[in-house]
């Protein structure tokens, strides 16, 4: 299971841990980046990019009622189950994983895709907080 924790009060950086052990640090913004297993990844607008700029994964409607991430011909489907919680679902609609802006439990999903999905929801939650604060 992955967990995301902000590195500072005004920071856009999040430390990602797996089972309590440091995994990577994500710059949670479009154009952000992270390292995993010695490989660099970048976050585009709803995209996970390799260091050379090639698209590794693309998200469609992240955070909406139903949304998906496509990577290498595989589609990860998600359904919102609460205000901030989402379930990964299979073709029959059965829950096979969970993700929120704080944690991801996505068995069988490549680590870089897990970090990408978690970063998508972290960025979405951060944007929503900025809008609320700006509107206050």
């Amino acid at each position: 299971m992955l967990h995301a924790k902000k590195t500072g009060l005004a920071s856009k950086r999040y430390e990602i841990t797996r089972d309590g052990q440091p995994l990577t640090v994500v710059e949670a913004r479009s154009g952000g980046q992270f390292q995993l297993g010695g490989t660099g990844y970048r976050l585009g607008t709803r995209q996970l990019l390799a260091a050379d700029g090639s698209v590794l994964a693309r998200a469609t409607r992240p955070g909406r009622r139903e949304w998906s991430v496509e990577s290498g011909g595989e589609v990860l489907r998600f359904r919102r189950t609460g205000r901030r919680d989402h379930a990964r679902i299979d073709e029959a609609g059965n829950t096979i994983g969970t993700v929120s802006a704080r944690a991801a439990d996505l068995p069988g999903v490549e680590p870089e895709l897990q970090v990408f999905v978690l970063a998508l929801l972290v960025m979405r939650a951060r944007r929503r907080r900025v809008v609320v604060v700006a509107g206050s």
Side-chain angles (χ1 to χ4, degrees):
M1 176 177 266
L2 302 184
H3 291 275
K5 182 179 179 185
K6 200 172 189 179
T7 60
L9 284 176
S11 179
K12 295 178 186 176
R13 297 169 55 97
Y14 289 79
E15 179 182 32
I16 308 295
T17 59
R18 179 173 37 204
D19 301 326
Q21 299 299 313
L23 181 64
T24 191
V25 174
V26 173
E27 185 79 31
R29 59 181 176 81
S30 182
Q33 57 192 350
F34 64 95
Q35 294 279 326
L36 196 59
T39 303
Y41 298 93
R42 292 184 307 149
L43 299 171
T45 303
R46 298 181 181 171
Q47 295 178 337
L48 176 63
L49 306 168
D52 66 3
S54 60
V55 177
L56 300 174
R58 179 172 284 124
T60 304
R61 299 173 45 93
R64 304 290 183 177
R65 173 84 176 129
E66 294 197 4
W67 56 287
S68 62
V69 172
E70 182 190 350
S71 175
E74 180 183 4
V75 177
L76 307 176
R77 297 178 352 148
F78 296 90
R79 177 179 296 140
R80 193 173 63 224
T81 57
R83 186 170 173 207
R84 296 184 180 116
D85 301 317
H86 305 260
R88 178 177 176 217
I89 56 174
D90 63 13
E91 292 297 321
N94 300 312
T95 299
I96 55 174
T98 58
V99 65
S100 71
R102 293 187 200 123
D105 185 14
L106 301 169
V109 176
E110 295 294 325
E112 64 274 11
L113 287 180
Q114 290 186 47
V115 172
F116 174 57
V117 169
L118 184 55
L120 285 171
L121 294 183
V122 165
M123 289 186 292
R124 184 173 186 269
R126 188 175 192 294
R127 281 192 308 270
R128 294 182 90 189
R129 281 191 303 273
V130 168
V131 168
V132 169
V133 170
S136 298

